[in-house]
Amino acid sequence: MRPGVLAPEDIVRLEEGDPARVVLLDQRRLPDEEVELECRSAAEVAEAIAQLAIRGAPAIGVAAAYGLALAALRGEDLAHAEQVLAASRPTAINLFWALASMRDDPTPERARALHREEVERCKRMAAHAADLFEPGTRALTHCNAGGLATGGYGSAVGALRTAWERGLLERVVVDETRPLLQGARLTAWELETAGIPHVVIADAAAASMMARGEVDLIVTGADRIAANGDTANKIGTYALAVLAAHHDLPLYVVAPTSTVDLATPTGAEIPIEERDPGEVSTRFPARNPAFDVTPAELITAIVTENGVRRAPYAESLAA
Ligand code: MRU
């Protein structure tokens, strides 16, 4: 791994040696240190997901796929391994989608194909999303929906990369993303590596930047998109969507079809992860919902690898 330059296998991979292991770049240590974490059982992969050593909906799915393949190589009870992995985080549908896709063929080859396909999906959706940018666009993004979050290239950050390559992007405003700072630590690091101009802001600064006309559009990833288009993403996305509507700015959600959950009718049925309150405050009582749901009517378009989908989402997503 060269510092700062990430191939998909630098983010997460399965090594079949003795002992077999899933190796992942520990995202908790970024951007200060590029350190790999080795997981030697499905339970250790589940723990790495739960502790955010690897995070972001598509990357969680890829890691779980490798975790199940690792369990098969080690002769673990596969039904139990799947249960343990499925219990790691509740909101990102990609986790359950990836485990279901691996069930009939829990092999390293299948897991690697799933990883490759997710990265391909990212490149395709990024190309569609970049069509929504105009020359000189100043985009605001939240959390990290980059290569780290997807196993390579990125969804929302992939769109920013493609728009930059096409000469359409002026700069990116990066929400720091309290409480765990995925924006300030991970998105800023990825943008710096890609040579894309960016500026990190406190989450609370987004409103006034929009009011001053310093933002042209908002682009985010998603953890789960319900059949009606309601979208769960990192806590704070809903607030941005309300602000975007107030300032008449478009909000684009960029996510692979593996994030679309047609079996969940609306956002009200999406389970929202409550994390350790200690991530918010160790001194006072705290609450720590990790995601919120943005109602479909506040989303200008949902971009998948299949193209740009607009309301009514119940029809456009199903198609
Ligand atoms: O808690 P995290 O860091 O896993 O949250 C990640 C997000 O909310 C991302 O925006 C989402 O998973 C999309 S990643 C392409």
Side-chain angles (χ1 to χ4, degrees):
M1 180 169 57
R2 282 191 294 135
V5 180
L6 294 179
E9 61 274 17
D10 294 331
I11 297 163
V12 57
R13 65 182 178 276
L14 175 65
E15 292 187 358
E16 288 174 68
D18 188 15
R21 53 197 177 255
V22 173
V23 181
L24 51 92
L25 181 62
D26 191 336
Q27 299 188 25
R28 295 167 298 185
R29 313 274 292 267
L30 291 171
D32 298 328
E33 294 175 301
E34 294 179 34
V35 176
E36 290 189 328
L37 179 71
E38 285 193 7
C39 305
R40 300 201 172 176
S41 65
E44 287 187 14
V45 174
E47 186 62 12
I49 295 172
Q51 297 303 323
L52 309 197
I54 186 158
R55 33 65 49 207
I60 291 170
V62 171
Y66 283 132
L68 205 61
L70 174 67
L73 286 175
R74 285 170 34 87
E76 290 183 41
D77 175 336
L78 286 184
H80 182 250
E82 187 179 332
Q83 240 176 22
V84 169
L85 286 161
S88 58
R89 293 191 80 188
T91 303
I93 190 68
N94 306 62
L95 171 64
F96 310 100
W97 169 87
L99 289 171
S101 326
M102 290 288 295
R103 210 167 282 145
D104 294 336
D105 182 22
T107 57
E109 294 70 34
R110 176 72 199 107
R112 290 191 186 109
L114 186 143
H115 188 178
R116 250 191 334 270
E117 287 157 14
E118 280 298 59
V119 178
E120 280 314 308
R121 280 194 259 281
C122 280
K123 290 181 178 161
R124 278 160 53 204
M125 74 183 94
H128 293 304
D131 290 343
L132 301 165
F133 287 58
E134 286 174 6
T137 294
R138 297 153 308 161
L140 184 146
T141 192
H142 190 64
C143 195
N144 171 262
L148 291 166
T150 54
Y153 204 73
S155 55
V157 173
L160 296 169
R161 287 171 67 163
T162 302
W164 173 250
E165 280 157 20
R166 291 188 194 168
L168 299 172
L169 185 63
E170 186 178 308
R171 73 178 150 91
V172 183
V173 177
V174 182
D175 265 2
E176 62 174 352
T177 315
R178 284 274 298 149
L180 296 178
L181 304 181
Q182 288 92 332
R185 293 187 302 109
L186 307 177
T187 300
W189 185 68
E190 289 196 37
L191 293 172
E192 180 185 75
T193 303
I196 300 176
H198 58 281
V199 52
V200 177
I201 60 165
D203 299 326
S208 60
M209 289 201 67
M210 290 184 202
R212 281 198 300 267
E214 295 186 42
V215 173
D216 300 305
L217 61 81
I218 294 92
V219 60
T220 74
D223 280 79
R224 191 186 299 219
I225 300 172
N228 72 342
D230 290 351
T231 293
N233 192 50
K234 178 53 57 195
I235 190 79
T237 306
Y238 173 41
L240 281 177
V242 173
L243 290 173
H246 181 76
H247 294 97
D248 203 19
L249 295 171
L251 172 90
Y252 300 122
V253 170
V254 184
T257 46
S258 52
T259 302
V260 178
D261 179 13
L262 295 178
T264 295
T266 75
E269 292 85 39
I270 297 177
I272 298 296
E273 177 181 11
E274 284 266 351
R275 294 186 62 81
D276 178 2
E279 292 176 352
V280 175
S281 172
T282 49
R283 168 68 179 82
F284 298 107
R287 282 279 308 277
N288 190 10
F291 301 96
D292 56 27
V293 174
T294 298
E297 66 261 28
L298 296 179
I299 300 172
T300 312
I302 296 175
V303 185
T304 74
E305 70 272 19
N306 295 328
V308 178
R309 303 288 179 251
R310 294 186 191 264
Y313 293 110
E315 278 118 72
S316 60
L317 289 174

